[in-house]
Amino acid sequence: MIDGDTIEIDRQRIRLHGIDAPESDQVCERDGRPWHCGAEASAALRARIRGHILTCRELDRDRFGRALARCRAGGQSVNAWMVREGYAVAYLRYSWAYLPEQIEAWWHGRGLWAGRFEHPEDFRHRR
């Protein structure tokens, strides 16, 4: 596990297509207090795939040479699950595939949507 949207299998990095999770060191706010949302997103992804066979379908490669893939564990989309549970946002710059899951997470105040956060892309650019 690299972070909440990147995994490594046999020394090959795979970025989950269409989603953007907080960076590992990113801190958000929940209930008026700091919340280590990046670390929690990574832990959630690890827990979600633990004990399951992970299958990934490569769709493309990013500028860093990582595979961009849709992955499934336990018969369900890992990409969609991360967004639906609020551990990642739909990366609308590249895909609208997970917008319904993002709306659901927002509506129910799950994960990132339970407090305040800086979009991961903005956090990366600000560093």
Side-chain angles (χ1 to χ4, degrees):
M1 197 66 48
I2 305 300
D3 58 27
D5 55 26
T6 308
I7 59 176
E8 187 172 275
I9 300 173
D10 295 330
R11 288 182 267 164
Q12 179 178 322
R13 290 209 175 177
I14 300 171
R15 178 91 160 52
L16 299 178
H17 178 266
I19 76 169
D20 199 13
E23 297 300 306
S24 295
D25 62 342
Q26 189 169 341
V27 177
C28 301
E29 183 182 303
R30 186 164 49 190
D31 299 324
R33 292 187 296 229
W35 166 49
H36 295 275
C37 55
E40 191 167 318
S42 298
L45 179 58
R46 184 178 297 109
R48 176 67 190 94
I49 64 178
R50 184 178 292 125
H52 294 285
I53 294 173
L54 184 68
T55 58
C56 296
R57 183 172 151 248
E58 184 176 330
L59 303 173
D60 202 355
R61 292 266 169 176
D62 69 9
R63 62 189 173 116
F64 303 108
R66 298 176 297 193
L68 296 170
R70 289 191 181 124
C71 297
R72 299 179 72 76
Q76 295 183 341
S77 168
V78 173
N79 308 45
W81 184 86
M82 288 293 290
V83 175
R84 186 173 41 257
E85 295 304 315
Y87 294 116
V89 295
Y91 209 169
L92 300 177
R93 175 196 294 232
Y94 298 105
S95 174
W96 286 53
Y98 305 108
L99 184 58
E101 287 82 359
Q102 180 167 297
I103 292 168
E104 181 181 339
W106 168 79
W107 180 259
H108 293 287
R110 294 183 190 138
L112 295 168
W113 305 103
R116 298 181 55 185
F117 70 97
E118 184 174 14
H119 278 261
E121 183 175 34
D122 295 337
F123 178 82
R124 286 189 302 273
H125 284 75
R126 190 175 52 77
R127 282 203 274 183

